[in-house]
Every structure is written in C-alpha cells, then in structure tokens.
Amino acid sequence: MADEHYDLIVIGSGPGGASLAHRLAPSGKRILILERGDYLPRETQNWSSSEVFVHGRYQAPETWYASDGQPFRPGLHRCVGGNSKVYGAALLRLRERDFGELVHGDGVSPAWPLPYDAFAPWYDEAERLFHVHGQRGEDPNEPPSAFPFPHAAVSHEPRIEALHASLQAQGLRPFHLPLGILLEERDGRPTRTSRCIRCDAFDGYPCPLDAKADAQVACIDPMLRDHPNVTLRTHAMVERLETDASGKRVTDVCVTRDGREERYRADIVVAACGALSTALLLLRSASDAHPDGLANGSGQVGRNYMRHNQSVLMALAREPNDTTFQKTLAISDYYFGAPDWPYPLGLIQMCAKSHADQIRGEALPTWLEWLPDMPFDVMSRHAMDFWLSSEDLPRPENRIRLAADGRVTLELTPNNMEAHHRLRARLEALLDGAGTHARWMERKLYFGKDIALGGTAHQAGTARFGVDPLASVLDLDCKAHELDNLYITDASFFVSIGAVNPTLTIIANALRVAAHIGERLGVSSP
C-alpha cells in the first residue's frame, strides 16, 4: 500500500472530515478517509450509564497531563464518526452577533474574519444533512435562515411541557432544542418505523440503533454505500505529514496501521482530527522547513484553546420526574446579558436524565447531608438535569503542547467564570419560580472526567483562521497559510466559540470548504 495516490485524503471521520468527504463524494474523485480507530461496537453496554459515564468504556485509553503535571484521561473517542458517536446531537447555529466582536465581563471575544452571512447557506445544508429537528421563530436569539428546519421539533414530555409553560409565564421564551436525530413521531410517541425510540440513553451515549445523526450515520455509511470512489481505512494512525523540500506542499501522509508503516499521497490533504489532535499532528510534523511544527510559522498552532465554561446542574425536586427523553428544551434569553449584567451569560439546555450509577459514581459527601437515606435510584427519579454553557475567551496561554518524548500537556486557565456563575443563579431562580422546590447539585463528571480539563467535547480554536499569517494558522478558506494543499475542517479554525454547541458550525464550515476544494479539483458545485 506504499505510495498510493488519491485526489483527496481526509484525516479523521468526525463531523468535519465526514461532512467534507460526503459533499465531494459524488464527484468521482478518489477520496481516502483515514480513521485512527474502528467502528464503535454495537452492544448492550452502549446503553449502560455505568459503562459509558463512570468507567469511560469508549474513551480513548490515553493519558495527558495538566500544567501542574497531574495526569488525566481526555474525553476523546477514537472511532468512525469521532466524538459525534457520543455527542448530545444539539445542533445550534452560532448567533449572528457571535461573528462580531463581543465585550464580556472578563474581556473581549474577537470578531471572526467572515460574517454570519458567509456561513448561512452552509448552515442550511448542514441541517438537512444531519436531520435536524426544530421550530423556527421560537429561539429569541436564533440567527436568520431562509428555510424552516428540515424536520419538526422533538416534542416535550408532560413534565418538560409544564416547565416550558412555567418559563413562559415568567416572561421567557424557551424553545425546542434543535436535535440531529432520526425520529418519526406521532402524538409524542415514535412511530413503528421510527429508528429512534425516544429512550433515556441518547445524550452522551452511543446509539446501537443508529438513530442519532452522528457523522457515521449521516455521512460515512451512506457515502461508502453509494460511492465506490471513497475508501475508508480504520486503525490508521497518522503519525506525521511530510512536505517537499520547499515546505510548501504536503507530499506524504505517514501512517501506522496494524503495526505497519504506510504512506499515502494526495493532491489535497484535509486534517479533521479534532482541534486538539489536529494541533498535535501539526506539532508532530515538525521539519527543517517547519521547525516549530507544520504550518506554525505564526507560533499559533495549539494556542487559543477553547472548550466552553460548562457545568451539569441536577435539581432534586420533591415530586418525581418521570420524563424519559428529557433533552428537548433550551433557554437563550440570557445569551447576551441579563437585567443586572450587561455582558453575555450563555445558554441553558436540558440534558439526559441522571441515572443511579452516574449519581453513585459522582456523589459528593455534601449531597448526602440532607438526604442520607435516599437511595440513588430514588434520587435519579426525582432529578431534572440541565447543561449550562458560557463562553470562554481565547487566550494564547491556553494551549496544548507536545514534548520531545511525546508527552502531551493541556494548559488551561479558566476565564469569564462570573458569567457562568450568574447563569447558574438565573437557572436556580427560574426553577424556584416554577415551584420545583429543588435542591441544587453541580455534577462534575461527564464521560467519566472532570469538565474542568478532561471534558474536551467542545474543543476549538487551536489553529484559528484569519487574513494575517502572523496571527493565524489558516486563511479564509481554512487552508494553511504556509502550505498550498493542506486544509483543516474541524473546530481548530474557530476564532471564538460563542456559547452554543460547536458541531453544526463545524459541519457548515466543512461544507463551505468542500465547495472551495471542489473548485480546485475541477468539480462543479451542486
């Protein structure tokens, strides 16, 4: 397999790589997708909260280090579809104002070099590709779109419908959370032919029914079925990218696969390994022409790491919460500020119901001081669960490093936390107003790791795009400034991260870049 040549090589099969390849697959060009992992197994453990969250069954068995030298296990998933195999499938657009400069309580979120309008048509296409269910006009901060959502919003169950009504009575505009899901429902119930059955193991779990619109289900599987010009190689660890003597073109993609070294060549190479892993690949690819790492003449590779300020808040109410599919509601009223705080706060969305095994694995002693005799399964039944996201600001010192011996260090100093604390206080007040009479507990663990560092699900910003090669890694087409044929289409290109889940923006940008690459390859855009 040495020296095989393709028109296009895509490294990584997550949303950024799979979406780009899917759009170019009808061209007939020879496309190779290299995936470090394998297909995630379909097994009963897919639905086990203990296996997925407490034991991290599907996490990559890797050890990274914090800046103080403490080891941790990053929340990465090396499999076909990437981290989208276990994502919550909340597919929201960045707000239109997120693309401009925004003043926060702790600094400034910089403007993107392109406005929202440059991404709007690709958001439309991304929503169709990933089967997004939602309702236009409900979200008070939703950016403009020329089209309705491709599918109707996922319905609320009675307890969430009551919460929705209570929030409206308090003057807010809660909305149905846009979800990428293969669901057909009638009267709030899945039809007999629906792939999704509205189970309680959707958010954060792999779906053995392939009912979650992840990158494998939405892109990889149909692409391989319909386009013989596309090849997927699994267990293919890309060790480095080599260039010609000038350092301006990638010539070889060097792979370790099943214990053997392999080399592949292509006219164009796209890295979409995830923002952290792509940065590591560039750093591993240092050479005489690129002594500080491939495409790193600016010194920005690995810097400006962002992953949102996030927390999971669990409210224990007096009355039981018998909701099964809880992840259907969101609140953006405080996205850009509140009456007592002129700066952005963030987004509140519901997440999956807590399971007894999760609570048992995460429980803090202070939780039990007022409920010493409540079993974990009873706590789970009384829980209502929320995911809070606030914007963290890009900081050059927040970065990923690679040592000569291969040791990976992730340096992160939290910022803009006042906004997050205020967002949490707002939620608590809203739920008190809803009459839930709740006790509040912040769940620290997600995918088995502390959100403070190991939670890398929303990784972004390690190779930002821009017009100045001295201050950015990529140009406006997400091509490396210093190389003619290397592109990046994961969240590395983000200049800021806003406070919504980043996946839909990754997909939209990948489709945008695919159209540009198609022109280079002589492919007419559909």
Side-chain angles (χ1 to χ4, degrees):
M1 294 184 187
D3 296 320
E4 287 192 46
H5 191 277
Y6 293 83
D7 296 299
L8 173 68
I9 291 177
V10 179
I11 306 167
S13 63
S19 301
L20 177 136
H22 183 275
R23 195 174 200 280
L24 292 171
S27 69
K29 298 293 184 179
R30 291 193 73 208
I31 299 173
L32 173 65
I33 303 170
L34 297 170
E35 169 54 49
R36 182 172 175 174
D38 199 352
Y39 281 88
L40 190 146
R42 298 175 69 187
E43 54 188 3
T44 56
Q45 289 91 339
N46 289 170
W47 279 329
S48 167
S49 61
S50 175
E51 289 295 320
V52 172
F53 292 100
V54 179
H55 300 300
R57 182 181 182 88
Y58 303 110
Q59 274 183 257
E62 298 178 29
T63 300
W64 290 1
Y65 296 87
S67 55
D68 62 2
Q70 291 298 310
F72 69 93
R73 188 178 173 193
L76 302 175
H77 297 78
R78 310 292 194 190
C79 55
V80 177
N83 275 351
S84 73
K85 290 303 296 181
V86 296
Y87 79 151
L91 295 174
L92 300 103
R93 303 181 184 211
L94 281 171
R95 286 40 298 248
E96 189 169 14
R97 286 173 60 188
D98 281 328
F99 290 86
E101 182 178 284
L102 277 175
V103 177
H104 288 256
D106 199 22
V108 175
S109 177
W112 286 41
L114 292 175
Y116 169 77
D117 290 349
F119 295 87
W122 307 110
Y123 274 128
D124 293 332
E125 186 172 327
E127 288 173 346
R128 292 190 293 270
L129 180 59
F130 274 70
H131 306 268
V132 180
H133 293 240
Q135 178 62 51
R136 294 273 187 245
E138 290 185 323
D139 176 358
N141 287 299
E142 180 183 47
S145 171
F147 301 96
F149 280 104
H151 304 279
V154 178
S155 64
H156 297 318
E157 294 184 37
R159 184 67 184 279
I160 309 306
E161 189 64 59
L163 175 62
H164 184 277
S166 172
L167 294 170
Q168 283 186 319
Q170 295 181 68
L172 299 185
R173 293 179 59 185
F175 60 96
H176 288 82
L177 184 64
L179 292 174
I181 188 170
L182 281 73
L183 170 68
E184 300 171 9
E185 59 177 346
R186 185 176 299 114
D187 299 325
R189 297 178 178 273
T191 66
R192 290 181 59 83
T193 57
S194 175
R195 194 178 296 186
C196 175
I197 60 173
R198 287 189 65 119
C199 72
D200 64 349
F202 178 81
D203 187 10
Y205 297 82
C207 179
L209 303 181
D210 286 343
K212 184 186 298 185
D214 58 49
Q216 176 206 321
V217 170
C219 298
I220 297 292
D221 289 351
M223 177 169 45
L224 295 179
R225 180 193 64 215
D226 298 335
H227 300 287
N229 55 301
V230 179
T231 301
L232 170 68
R233 296 206 197 286
T234 57
H235 300 290
M237 168 62 182
V238 179
E239 303 285 356
R240 66 192 181 280
L241 304 177
E242 294 183 354
T243 70
D244 59 15
S246 72
K248 294 182 179 179
R249 286 188 61 83
V250 174
T251 56
D252 291 74
V253 179
C254 304
V255 173
T256 298
R257 184 164 175 260
D258 296 329
R260 299 187 306 271
E261 270 194 33
E262 300 176 349
R263 287 176 177 261
Y264 302 96
R265 295 188 171 195
D267 296 333
I268 293 176
V269 175
V270 175
C273 317
L276 294 169
S277 296
T278 288
L280 291 174
L281 172 59
L282 297 180
L283 295 173
R284 286 198 305 270
S285 300
S287 65
D288 290 342
H290 297 272
D292 296 321
L294 190 62
N296 195 27
S298 64
Q300 295 298 305
V301 169
R303 292 186 179 273
N304 304 299
Y305 170 58
M306 299 169 287
R307 53 87 181 102
H308 285 140
N309 296 326
Q310 304 173 102
S311 60
V312 179
L313 190 69
M314 187 175 78
L316 289 186
R318 291 177 181 173
E319 63 274 18
N321 175 18
D322 292 323
T323 304
T324 299
F325 194 96
Q326 184 172 257
K327 190 184 177 76
T328 57
L329 180 143
I331 305 165
S332 73
D333 296 77
Y334 307 118
Y335 196 93
F336 291 113
D340 61 346
W341 183 254
Y343 308 112
L345 293 185
L347 182 76
I348 299 167
Q349 58 184 289
M350 305 211 71
C351 57
K353 281 275 292 168
S354 292
H355 286 230
D357 287 336
Q358 291 170 269
I359 301 172
R360 182 183 297 109
E362 302 171 6
L364 302 175
T366 53
W367 290 26
L368 305 180
E369 290 176 359
W370 58 278
L371 285 174
D373 300 320
M374 180 177 278
F376 291 115
D377 58 343
V378 176
M379 294 175 71
S380 173
R381 190 182 175 206
H382 285 254
M384 186 174 284
D385 309 85
F386 299 85
W387 182 276
L388 291 80
S389 291
S390 301
E391 182 165 3
D392 60 328
L393 305 177
R395 297 281 191 261
E397 62 271 18
N398 285 348
R399 64 186 301 187
I400 189 165
R401 292 181 183 269
L402 179 67
D405 62 359
R407 176 170 167 146
V408 175
T409 300
L410 186 57
E411 300 176 353
L412 176 66
T413 300
N415 65 72
N416 208 31
M417 291 303 298
E418 176 68 16
H420 195 72
H421 297 151
R422 287 176 176 270
L423 184 65
R424 171 178 167 153
R426 283 278 167 181
L427 174 59
E428 293 178 3
L430 289 172
L431 294 182
D432 286 341
T436 58
H437 307 291
R439 296 277 187 161
W440 311 104
M441 286 159 286
E442 187 173 3
R443 281 180 41 202
K444 292 288 186 183
L445 298 178
Y446 198 61
F447 299 137
K449 290 291 112 186
D450 192 325
I451 290 175
L453 190 61
T456 57
H458 291 189
Q459 56 187 286
T462 58
R464 57 167 53 176
F465 80 145
V467 296
D468 182 0
L470 298 179
S472 58
V473 178
L474 309 173
D475 68 14
L476 298 190
D477 295 317
C478 289
K479 183 185 73 66
H481 285 299
E482 300 170 24
L483 292 108
D484 180 59
N485 65 336
L486 175 64
Y487 292 79
I488 296 178
T489 58
D490 50 37
S492 300
F493 84 101
F494 278 42
V495 173
S496 64
I497 197 172
V500 299
N501 308 47
T503 305
L504 192 70
T505 301
I506 296 170
I507 298 164
N509 183 65
L511 297 173
R512 181 183 74 91
V513 175
H516 166 75
I517 290 176
E519 293 176 0
R520 286 195 58 175
L521 293 173
V523 177
S524 58
S525 182

mmCIF file of all heavy atoms in Angstrom, residues 91-113:
data_model
loop_
_atom_site.group_PDB
_atom_site.id
_atom_site.type_symbol
_atom_site.label_atom_id
_atom_site.label_comp_id
_atom_site.label_asym_id
_atom_site.label_seq_id
_atom_site.Cartn_x
_atom_site.Cartn_y
_atom_site.Cartn_z
ATOM 1 N N LEU A 91 -27.761 20.678 17.776
ATOM 2 C CA LEU A 91 -27.164 21.298 16.592
ATOM 3 C C LEU A 91 -27.732 22.704 16.417
ATOM 4 O O LEU A 91 -28.746 22.913 15.762
ATOM 5 C CB LEU A 91 -27.409 20.420 15.364
ATOM 6 C CG LEU A 91 -26.717 19.047 15.419
ATOM 7 C CD1 LEU A 91 -27.113 18.167 14.234
ATOM 8 C CD2 LEU A 91 -25.204 19.210 15.466
ATOM 9 N N LEU A 92 -27.057 23.659 17.044
ATOM 10 C CA LEU A 92 -27.471 25.057 17.007
ATOM 11 C C LEU A 92 -26.480 25.879 16.191
ATOM 12 O O LEU A 92 -25.289 25.582 16.160
ATOM 13 C CB LEU A 92 -27.531 25.638 18.419
ATOM 14 C CG LEU A 92 -28.488 24.977 19.404
ATOM 15 C CD1 LEU A 92 -27.720 24.099 20.373
ATOM 16 C CD2 LEU A 92 -29.279 26.042 20.170
ATOM 17 N N ARG A 93 -26.978 26.925 15.576
ATOM 18 C CA ARG A 93 -26.120 27.870 14.873
ATOM 19 C C ARG A 93 -25.528 28.861 15.875
ATOM 20 O O ARG A 93 -26.203 29.264 16.833
ATOM 21 C CB ARG A 93 -26.913 28.661 13.831
ATOM 22 C CG ARG A 93 -27.622 27.807 12.803
ATOM 23 C CD ARG A 93 -28.373 28.672 11.801
ATOM 24 N NE ARG A 93 -29.125 27.822 10.865
ATOM 25 C CZ ARG A 93 -29.387 28.138 9.599
ATOM 26 N NH1 ARG A 93 -28.968 29.311 9.116
ATOM 27 N NH2 ARG A 93 -30.049 27.322 8.813
ATOM 28 N N LEU A 94 -24.271 29.247 15.650
ATOM 29 C CA LEU A 94 -23.770 30.418 16.353
ATOM 30 C C LEU A 94 -24.701 31.591 16.077
ATOM 31 O O LEU A 94 -25.265 31.712 14.973
ATOM 32 C CB LEU A 94 -22.360 30.769 15.896
ATOM 33 C CG LEU A 94 -21.203 29.952 16.480
ATOM 34 C CD1 LEU A 94 -19.911 30.298 15.755
ATOM 35 C CD2 LEU A 94 -21.057 30.196 17.970
ATOM 36 N N ARG A 95 -24.907 32.424 17.058
ATOM 37 C CA ARG A 95 -25.747 33.587 16.863
ATOM 38 C C ARG A 95 -25.062 34.577 15.912
ATOM 39 O O ARG A 95 -23.830 34.621 15.827
ATOM 40 C CB ARG A 95 -25.955 34.304 18.181
ATOM 41 C CG ARG A 95 -26.861 33.758 19.239
ATOM 42 C CD ARG A 95 -27.033 32.403 19.640
ATOM 43 N NE ARG A 95 -27.503 31.387 18.774
ATOM 44 C CZ ARG A 95 -28.678 30.751 18.879
ATOM 45 N NH1 ARG A 95 -29.532 31.090 19.816
ATOM 46 N NH2 ARG A 95 -28.989 29.774 18.078
ATOM 47 N N GLU A 96 -25.853 35.379 15.220
ATOM 48 C CA GLU A 96 -25.279 36.319 14.254
ATOM 49 C C GLU A 96 -24.272 37.252 14.926
ATOM 50 O O GLU A 96 -23.215 37.556 14.370
ATOM 51 C CB GLU A 96 -26.400 37.123 13.592
ATOM 52 C CG GLU A 96 -25.933 37.974 12.433
ATOM 53 C CD GLU A 96 -27.091 38.553 11.639
ATOM 54 O OE1 GLU A 96 -28.242 38.512 12.127
ATOM 55 O OE2 GLU A 96 -26.844 39.044 10.522
ATOM 56 N N ARG A 97 -24.570 37.688 16.141
ATOM 57 C CA ARG A 97 -23.665 38.601 16.855
ATOM 58 C C ARG A 97 -22.380 37.894 17.305
ATOM 59 O O ARG A 97 -21.375 38.558 17.591
ATOM 60 C CB ARG A 97 -24.385 39.206 18.063
ATOM 61 C CG ARG A 97 -25.423 40.262 17.677
ATOM 62 C CD ARG A 97 -26.221 40.710 18.895
ATOM 63 N NE ARG A 97 -25.381 41.292 19.942
ATOM 64 C CZ ARG A 97 -25.832 41.604 21.160
ATOM 65 N NH1 ARG A 97 -27.097 41.371 21.473
ATOM 66 N NH2 ARG A 97 -25.000 42.123 22.045
ATOM 67 N N ASP A 98 -22.391 36.562 17.392
ATOM 68 C CA ASP A 98 -21.179 35.843 17.773
ATOM 69 C C ASP A 98 -20.054 36.036 16.762
ATOM 70 O O ASP A 98 -18.879 35.862 17.098
ATOM 71 C CB ASP A 98 -21.471 34.340 17.901
ATOM 72 C CG ASP A 98 -22.150 33.978 19.209
ATOM 73 O OD1 ASP A 98 -21.890 34.650 20.217
ATOM 74 O OD2 ASP A 98 -22.943 33.017 19.221
ATOM 75 N N PHE A 99 -20.404 36.371 15.532
ATOM 76 C CA PHE A 99 -19.385 36.547 14.498
ATOM 77 C C PHE A 99 -18.721 37.928 14.563
ATOM 78 O O PHE A 99 -17.738 38.175 13.865
ATOM 79 C CB PHE A 99 -19.991 36.321 13.114
ATOM 80 C CG PHE A 99 -20.352 34.879 12.851
ATOM 81 C CD1 PHE A 99 -21.581 34.365 13.254
ATOM 82 C CD2 PHE A 99 -19.456 34.029 12.228
ATOM 83 C CE1 PHE A 99 -21.909 33.039 13.025
ATOM 84 C CE2 PHE A 99 -19.771 32.700 12.004
ATOM 85 C CZ PHE A 99 -21.000 32.202 12.407
ATOM 86 N N GLY A 100 -19.268 38.809 15.371
ATOM 87 C CA GLY A 100 -18.655 40.119 15.572
ATOM 88 C C GLY A 100 -17.973 40.189 16.926
ATOM 89 O O GLY A 100 -18.020 39.260 17.728
ATOM 90 N N GLU A 101 -17.335 41.304 17.184
ATOM 91 C CA GLU A 101 -16.670 41.492 18.476
ATOM 92 C C GLU A 101 -17.714 41.650 19.572
ATOM 93 O O GLU A 101 -18.680 42.400 19.437
ATOM 94 C CB GLU A 101 -15.778 42.730 18.415
ATOM 95 C CG GLU A 101 -15.004 42.993 19.694
ATOM 96 C CD GLU A 101 -14.089 44.199 19.571
ATOM 97 O OE1 GLU A 101 -13.023 44.076 18.927
ATOM 98 O OE2 GLU A 101 -14.467 45.272 20.100
ATOM 99 N N LEU A 102 -17.518 40.927 20.675
ATOM 100 C CA LEU A 102 -18.442 40.981 21.804
ATOM 101 C C LEU A 102 -17.658 41.279 23.078
ATOM 102 O O LEU A 102 -16.670 40.602 23.380
ATOM 103 C CB LEU A 102 -19.184 39.649 21.968
ATOM 104 C CG LEU A 102 -20.416 39.410 21.107
ATOM 105 C CD1 LEU A 102 -20.936 37.999 21.332
ATOM 106 C CD2 LEU A 102 -21.513 40.416 21.422
ATOM 107 N N VAL A 103 -18.117 42.252 23.833
ATOM 108 C CA VAL A 103 -17.485 42.589 25.097
ATOM 109 C C VAL A 103 -18.094 41.731 26.197
ATOM 110 O O VAL A 103 -19.318 41.670 26.362
ATOM 111 C CB VAL A 103 -17.661 44.084 25.424
ATOM 112 C CG1 VAL A 103 -17.047 44.407 26.791
ATOM 113 C CG2 VAL A 103 -17.026 44.937 24.344
ATOM 114 N N HIS A 104 -17.230 41.040 26.936
ATOM 115 C CA HIS A 104 -17.638 40.209 28.062
ATOM 116 C C HIS A 104 -17.133 40.834 29.351
ATOM 117 O O HIS A 104 -16.300 41.759 29.346
ATOM 118 C CB HIS A 104 -17.062 38.797 27.923
ATOM 119 C CG HIS A 104 -17.714 37.983 26.856
ATOM 120 N ND1 HIS A 104 -18.619 36.977 27.123
ATOM 121 C CD2 HIS A 104 -17.586 38.020 25.504
ATOM 122 C CE1 HIS A 104 -19.018 36.421 25.995
ATOM 123 N NE2 HIS A 104 -18.407 37.040 24.992
ATOM 124 N N GLY A 105 -17.597 40.312 30.473
ATOM 125 C CA GLY A 105 -17.156 40.831 31.752
ATOM 126 C C GLY A 105 -15.679 40.634 31.988
ATOM 127 O O GLY A 105 -15.052 41.385 32.751
ATOM 128 N N ASP A 106 -15.081 39.630 31.316
ATOM 129 C CA ASP A 106 -13.672 39.304 31.544
ATOM 130 C C ASP A 106 -12.802 39.577 30.325
ATOM 131 O O ASP A 106 -11.682 39.080 30.234
ATOM 132 C CB ASP A 106 -13.565 37.828 31.950
ATOM 133 C CG ASP A 106 -12.248 37.515 32.652
ATOM 134 O OD1 ASP A 106 -11.630 38.444 33.192
ATOM 135 O OD2 ASP A 106 -11.836 36.336 32.659
ATOM 136 N N GLY A 107 -13.322 40.341 29.370
ATOM 137 C CA GLY A 107 -12.514 40.640 28.191
ATOM 138 C C GLY A 107 -13.363 40.696 26.943
ATOM 139 O O GLY A 107 -14.586 40.814 26.990
ATOM 140 N N VAL A 108 -12.701 40.572 25.807
ATOM 141 C CA VAL A 108 -13.364 40.723 24.508
ATOM 142 C C VAL A 108 -13.291 39.421 23.735
ATOM 143 O O VAL A 108 -12.234 38.792 23.626
ATOM 144 C CB VAL A 108 -12.709 41.853 23.692
ATOM 145 C CG1 VAL A 108 -13.305 41.927 22.295
ATOM 146 C CG2 VAL A 108 -12.878 43.183 24.414
ATOM 147 N N SER A 109 -14.431 39.003 23.201
ATOM 148 C CA SER A 109 -14.477 37.902 22.256
ATOM 149 C C SER A 109 -14.259 38.488 20.868
ATOM 150 O O SER A 109 -15.051 39.310 20.407
ATOM 151 C CB SER A 109 -15.838 37.195 22.332
ATOM 152 O OG SER A 109 -15.928 36.165 21.366
ATOM 153 N N PRO A 110 -13.179 38.102 20.174
ATOM 154 C CA PRO A 110 -12.833 38.781 18.919
ATOM 155 C C PRO A 110 -13.799 38.457 17.789
ATOM 156 O O PRO A 110 -14.462 37.423 17.782
ATOM 157 C CB PRO A 110 -11.432 38.248 18.617
ATOM 158 C CG PRO A 110 -11.378 36.911 19.293
ATOM 159 C CD PRO A 110 -12.209 37.043 20.538
ATOM 160 N N ALA A 111 -13.835 39.363 16.828
ATOM 161 C CA ALA A 111 -14.668 39.163 15.641
ATOM 162 C C ALA A 111 -14.054 38.120 14.723
ATOM 163 O O ALA A 111 -12.834 38.001 14.620
ATOM 164 C CB ALA A 111 -14.833 40.479 14.891
ATOM 165 N N TRP A 112 -14.903 37.368 14.055
ATOM 166 C CA TRP A 112 -14.452 36.442 13.023
ATOM 167 C C TRP A 112 -14.096 37.230 11.769
ATOM 168 O O TRP A 112 -14.654 38.315 11.531
ATOM 169 C CB TRP A 112 -15.549 35.429 12.713
ATOM 170 C CG TRP A 112 -15.748 34.389 13.773
ATOM 171 C CD1 TRP A 112 -15.741 34.573 15.122
ATOM 172 C CD2 TRP A 112 -16.008 32.996 13.562
ATOM 173 N NE1 TRP A 112 -15.974 33.384 15.770
ATOM 174 C CE2 TRP A 112 -16.135 32.404 14.842
ATOM 175 C CE3 TRP A 112 -16.127 32.205 12.430
ATOM 176 C CZ2 TRP A 112 -16.382 31.035 15.008
ATOM 177 C CZ3 TRP A 112 -16.382 30.849 12.585
ATOM 178 C CH2 TRP A 112 -16.507 30.276 13.857
ATOM 179 N N PRO A 113 -13.218 36.689 10.922
ATOM 180 C CA PRO A 113 -12.868 37.407 9.693
ATOM 181 C C PRO A 113 -13.942 37.317 8.619
ATOM 182 O O PRO A 113 -13.850 38.005 7.598
ATOM 183 C CB PRO A 113 -11.579 36.719 9.241
ATOM 184 C CG PRO A 113 -11.671 35.340 9.807
ATOM 185 C CD PRO A 113 -12.379 35.488 11.120
#
